[in-house]
C-alpha cells in the first residue's frame, strides 16, 4: 500500500489509477495473479516528484521458471495457435486494441507517473500508437501463408508452412513503456506465440495493467504473462531458460551483448532493437523554418530518451549561425515540468536520478573537452528540485572524436557541428558504430536520393523526423540491432518456416 500524496498541481488521479496503485500488485502467470515466490518486491517512483508510487514483485529465477512452464503448457496445448481460428485470434487482438483505446486515460496516467512524460502525450501519442499496433497485427493471423515450391525431384511435392517459434521472452525499456511492449507483443501474438513480458524496472505499471486488459479481452490463460523484476535477475533468467525459444529485446547495446552471451548455451533466437547516435543533416538549400523545428524536436522529443534521437546535428556552414539561433529560440521556449501537472509541459523529467547523473556527466565531459553548452546545460531546480529535470541543451565547439559526439546520451543534449560539402558530411554521418536512423533536410532531389541510398541506417527521414508506422519496418544497421520490428518483417522474428516434402509419384 502506498500513501499517494501527490503534489497539489497534479491533474486529478483517476479512481482506477489510485485503486491500482494501492492494490497488492502481483505477477501475472498462467492467467493468475501471484506474488513472487520469494515474496521480494521493489519500489517504483514518480521521476517528476521523487515520490513512491507502488511496490511490485521482484521476479527471481523460480518465478521465471513458473512463467515459462505456464506459457509452455498453453503453447503445447495449442489453445492459442491451433484451437482458435485465425479470424478468432485476429478478433481477440482487435478487442485488445479497443480496450487499450478505452483505457487510454488510465494507461496514460500510469506511464506518466512511472516515466515522467507529460500525461497528455502519453494519452495522445503512446496509447493510440499502441492500440494501432495491435490493430495492424490483428489483420495478420489470417494472412500468414506458406508457399508451394517447384522442386526438381520428380514425383515430389514440396510446400512451406509458417509456425510460431513458441515461448517468447520480451524484454523492454522504460522510454515508451506501453508502446515498446506493444511493438513486440502484437507481432508475437499474431504469429501464434505465447509471451512472457519483462518491463523495465523503472516503469513496470502499464505492463501489469495491460495483463488485466488481456484477461478482459478473453485471451486463453498463459498466452500473456508479465514478470516485473530486475534485468540482472528476472531478465537474465529468462534469457538463460531452456524453455524460452526466443528473446525479443529493446534496450542498450551493452545489455544486448550480455544477452547474446547468455543466450549462447541454449542457442535461442534473439532479436535486438538497440540505441543510436543518429545524424541529422541540414543543407543550406533546405526549408530552414521547417528544418529548425524538425531538428529541435528530433532531439528534444521525449526528452532525448528516444532510440532515434537526432543527437548529431550537422549544419552546412553558411547557415550554421541562422539555424543555431532558430533552434536556441525554440529550445528557450520549451516548457519543462512535471508530467502530471495541470498546466501540461512540453517535456517532463528524465526517467531516474541515475539517468540524470549519467546525462549531467556527459554535459560535464562535453565542457571539459572544450565544447560549449550555448543553450541549457544545467539541472533544473526551484519547484522541480525533487524531480530529475535537465534543461534542453545544445552544444557547439565539439569534434566528431569527442565522447559527447560518439556515445548515446539518451537525454536532451544535441551536438551541433558545421560541415562544408556533401561527401564530407556523408562520411562523418556514417562514421559511427550505430545505424538506427539518419535524416537530412534539403530541397535537392538528387541529394535526397543519394543520401537515402548511402546513409547506413535502418530508417532514413528526409525533410521530416520521427515518423513510424506499424506497417513500416523499423530496426538497426550495425550495432543498432538485429532484425526488423513492425510491418510484415516483424513476423519473421516470431515465426519458423517449415519445409514439407511428400512423395506423390
Ligand atoms: P537497458 O538498461 O538495456 O534495459 C532494457 C531492458 O533490459 C530492461 O528491462 C532491463 O531491466 C533489461 N536488462 C538489463 N540487464 C539485463 C540482463 N542482464 N539480461 C536480460 N535483461 C536485462 O536499457 P534502458 O536503459 O532501460 O533503455 C535505454 C536504451 O534502450 C537506450 O540505449 C536506447 O537507445 C534503447 N532503446 C532502443 C529502442 C529501439 O527500438 N531501437 C527503443 C527504445 C530504447 P532493468 O530495467 O532492470 O534494467
Ligand atoms: Mg535499465
Amino acid at each position: 500500500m502506498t500513501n499517494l500524496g501527490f503534489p497539489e498541481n497534479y491533474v486529478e488521479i483517476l479512481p482506477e489509477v489510485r485503486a491500482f496503485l494501492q492494490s497488492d500488485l502481483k505477477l501475472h502467470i498462467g492467467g493468475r495473479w501471484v506474488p513472487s515466490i520469494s515474496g521480494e518486491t521493489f519500489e517504483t517512483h514518480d521521476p517528476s516528484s521523487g515520490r513512491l508510487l507502488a511496490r511490485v514483485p521482484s521476479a527471481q529465477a523460480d518465478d521465471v521458471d513458473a512463467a515459462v512452464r505456464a506459457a509452455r503448457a498453453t503453447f503445447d496445448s495449442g489453445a492459442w495457435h491451433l484451437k482458435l481460428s485465425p479470424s478468432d485470434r485476429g478478433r481477440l487482438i482487435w478487442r485488445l486494441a479497443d480496450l487499450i483505446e478505452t483505457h487510454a486515460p488510465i494507461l496514460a496516467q500510469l506511464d506518466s507517473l512511472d516515466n515522467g512524460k507529460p500525461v497528455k502525450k502519453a494519452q495522445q501519442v503512446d496509447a493510440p500508437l499502441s492500440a494501432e499496433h495491435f490493430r495492424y497485427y490483428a489483420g495478420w493471423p489470417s494472412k500468414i501463408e506458406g508457399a508451394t515450391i517447384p522442386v526438381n525431384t520428380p514425383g515430389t511435392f514440396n510446400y512451406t508452412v509458417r509456425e510460431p517459434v513458441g515461448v517468447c521472452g520480451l524484454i523492454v525499456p522504460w522510454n515508451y513503456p506501453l508502446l515498446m511492449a506493444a511493438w513486440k507483443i502484437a507481432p508475437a501474438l499474431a504469429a501464434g506465440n505465447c509471451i512472457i513480458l519483462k518491463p523495465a524496472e523503472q516503469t513496470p505499471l502499464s505492463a501489469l495493467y495491460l495483463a488485466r486488459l488481456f484477461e478482459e479481452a478473453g485471451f486463453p490463460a498463459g498466452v500473456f504473462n508479465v514478470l516485473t523484476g530486475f534485468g540482472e535477475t528476472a531478465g537474465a533468467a529468462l534469457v538463460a531458460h531452456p524453455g524460452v525459444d526466443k528473446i525479443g529485446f529493446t534496450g542498450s547495446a551493452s545489455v544486448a551483448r550480455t544477452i547474446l552471451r547468455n543466450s549462447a548455451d541454449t542457442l535461442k533466437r534473439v532479436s535486438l532493437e538497440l540505441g543510436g547516435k543518429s545524424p541529422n543533416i541540414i543543407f543550406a538549400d533546405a526549408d530552414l523554418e521547417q528544418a529548425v523545428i524538425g531538428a529541435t524536436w528530433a532531439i528534444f522529443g521525449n526528452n532525448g530518451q528516444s532510440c532515434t534521437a537526432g543527437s548529431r546535428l550537422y549544419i552546412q556552414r553558411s547557415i550554421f549561425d541562422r539555424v543555431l539561433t532558430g533552434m536556441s529560440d525554440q529550445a528557450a521556449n520549451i516548457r519543462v515540468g512535471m508530467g502530471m501537472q495541470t498546466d501540461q509541459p512540453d517535456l517532463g523529467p528524465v526517467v531516474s536520478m541515475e539517468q540524470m547523473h549519467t546525462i549531467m556527466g556527459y554535459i560535464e565531459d562535453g565542457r571539459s573537452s572544450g565544447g560549449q553548452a550555448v543553450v541549457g546545460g544545467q539541472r533544473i531546480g526551484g519547484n522541480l528540485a525533487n524531480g530529475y529535470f535537465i534543461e534542453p541543451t545544445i552544444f557547439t565547439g565539439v569534434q566528431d572524436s569527442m565522447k559527447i559526439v560518439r556515445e548515446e546520451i539518451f537525454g536532451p543534449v544535441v551536438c551541433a557541428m558545421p560541415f562544408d560539402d556533401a561527401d564530407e558530411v556523408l562520411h562523418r554521418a556514417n562514421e559511427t558504430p550505430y545505424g538506427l536512423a539518419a535524416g537530412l533536410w534539403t530541397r535537392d532531389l538528387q541529394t535526397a536520393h543519394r543520401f537515402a541510398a548511402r546513409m547506413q541506417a535502418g530508417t532514413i527521414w528526409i525533410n521530416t523526423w520521427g515518423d513510424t508506422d506499424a506497417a513500416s519496418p523499423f530496426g538497426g544497421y550495425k550495432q543498432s540491432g538485429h532484425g526488423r520490428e513492425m510491418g510484415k518483417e516483424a513476423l519473421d522474428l516470431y515465426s519458423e518456416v517449415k519445409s514439407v516434402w511428400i512423395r506423390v509419384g
Side-chain angles (χ1 to χ4, degrees):
M1 292 278 274
T2 316
N3 172 22
L4 300 172
F6 287 114
E8 276 175 14
N9 62 343
Y10 269 31
V11 297
E12 201 172 319
I13 309 286
L14 293 167
E16 294 90 339
V17 171
R18 200 169 275 278
F20 182 74
L21 293 176
Q22 292 184 319
S23 68
D24 190 7
L25 294 171
K26 298 196 167 134
L27 305 171
H28 190 64
I29 296 178
R32 297 187 321 130
W33 294 93
V34 294
S36 63
I37 293 167
S38 68
E40 279 184 47
T41 60
F42 65 98
E43 296 180 347
T44 184
H45 292 91
D46 168 16
S48 292
S49 65
R51 276 180 179 275
L52 174 65
L53 291 170
R55 302 190 67 90
V56 297
S58 176
Q60 312 288 318
D62 46 5
D63 304 301
V64 171
D65 191 54
V68 174
R69 282 171 198 279
R72 196 79 260 157
T74 301
F75 186 76
D76 291 345
S77 76
W80 175 237
H81 72 295
L82 297 176
K83 293 182 184 162
L84 285 175
S85 70
S87 295
D88 284 342
R89 272 182 277 138
R91 205 171 284 132
L92 277 176
I93 299 173
W94 188 272
R95 196 177 296 159
L96 185 71
D98 285 342
L99 287 169
I100 290 173
E101 237 161 47
T102 52
H103 291 76
I106 297 169
L107 290 161
Q109 285 203 352
L110 290 174
D111 269 0
S112 173
L113 287 167
D114 230 0
N115 164 284
K117 64 176 62 201
V119 66
K120 195 171 154 191
K121 296 228 159 84
Q123 186 164 342
Q124 294 180 355
V125 181
D126 298 37
L129 285 179
S130 301
E132 180 52 30
H133 225 77
F134 285 101
R135 289 205 196 291
Y136 171 78
Y137 284 102
W140 270 109
S142 56
K143 295 166 196 72
I144 299 174
E145 297 171 341
T148 56
I149 319 283
V151 289
N152 284 321
T153 320
T156 301
F157 177 52
N158 177 244
Y159 65 92
T160 60
V161 281
R162 245 175 211 281
E163 297 184 341
V165 178
V167 173
C168 298
L170 308 180
I171 302 175
V172 294
W174 43 258
N175 57 343
Y176 293 88
L178 180 66
L179 185 60
M180 290 300 102
W183 280 17
K184 298 196 173 354
I185 298 166
L189 279 180
N193 298 278
C194 291
I195 291 162
I196 302 167
L197 174 69
K198 196 212 79 74
E201 67 191 63
Q202 296 87 346
T203 55
L205 298 174
S206 58
L208 290 174
Y209 201 86
L210 187 64
R212 291 190 176 192
L213 301 185
F214 267 84
E215 283 188 308
E216 197 176 330
F219 280 82
V223 172
F224 183 66
N225 307 275
V226 180
L227 296 176
T228 51
F230 295 107
E232 295 76 3
T233 47
L238 205 51
V239 171
H241 202 294
V244 175
D245 301 293
K246 190 233 154 71
I247 294 288
F249 172 78
T250 293
S252 61
S254 64
V255 171
R257 289 187 191 97
T258 304
I259 287 179
L260 282 180
R261 275 192 286 272
N262 292 346
S263 63
D265 283 343
T266 53
L267 286 174
K268 58 173 58 75
R269 281 119 192 79
V270 178
S271 53
L272 305 169
E273 294 284 2
L274 310 177
K277 190 76 183 179
S278 298
N280 193 10
I281 302 168
I282 307 180
F283 282 93
D285 72 346
D287 175 335
L288 290 192
E289 206 176 318
Q290 199 188 47
V292 162
I293 295 171
T296 302
W297 290 102
I299 180 63
F300 299 129
N302 210 43
N303 234 337
Q305 303 173 125
S306 289
C307 46
T308 55
S311 49
R312 284 189 296 143
L313 180 61
Y314 293 101
I315 307 167
Q316 201 153 23
R317 198 177 298 276
S318 62
I319 52 159
F320 188 81
D321 291 344
R322 246 174 93 192
V323 170
L324 206 63
T325 305
M327 283 184 70
S328 303
D329 291 347
Q330 291 277 328
N333 284 323
I334 293 175
R335 290 171 320 119
V336 181
M338 301 189 225
M340 288 286 281
Q341 71 188 38
T342 42
D343 176 19
Q344 278 285 283
D346 299 309
L347 299 180
V350 299
V351 75
S352 63
M353 189 184 293
E354 187 190 3
Q355 188 69 7
M356 180 180 71
H357 288 312
T358 304
I359 298 166
M360 289 310 298
Y362 276 106
I363 290 175
E364 291 320 316
D365 188 86
R367 284 201 180 99
S368 63
S369 48
Q372 296 96 42
V374 291
V375 175
Q378 307 292 337
R379 181 179 174 184
I380 304 175
N383 67 336
L384 298 180
N386 290 330
Y388 317 123
F389 294 89
I390 296 179
E391 293 172 340
T393 300
I394 303 176
F395 261 90
T396 60
V398 293
Q399 311 297 327
D400 290 327
S401 57
M402 289 180 187
K403 189 171 157 184
I404 194 173
V405 181
R406 281 187 291 111
E407 294 184 12
E408 180 178 51
I409 299 174
F410 224 60
V413 182
V414 64
C415 293
M417 296 164 283
F419 73 91
D420 291 302
D421 69 68
D423 285 339
E424 169 211 332
V425 77
L426 182 62
H427 175 77
R428 290 169 69 188
N430 283 336
E431 194 74 1
T432 167
Y434 292 114
L436 192 60
L440 73 150
W441 302 80
T442 179
R443 286 190 170 104
D444 186 283
L445 196 61
Q446 222 173 346
T447 306
H449 279 294
R450 183 163 162 249
F451 272 66
R454 294 184 58 191
M455 288 204 287
Q456 296 157 0
T459 296
I460 309 289
W461 285 304
I462 298 170
N463 297 330
T464 181
W465 191 279
D467 314 66
T468 60
D469 191 294
S472 179
F474 178 89
Y477 278 37
K478 300 194 271 184
Q479 292 186 24
S480 290
H482 297 176
R484 291 292 176 275
E485 296 194 310
M486 307 210 226
K488 62 178 185 302
E489 282 79 0
L491 298 165
D492 296 342
L493 302 180
Y494 295 101
S495 56
E496 296 279 13
V497 178
K498 180 181 277 175
S499 173
V500 182
W501 295 79
I502 305 179
R503 169 60 42 90
V504 292

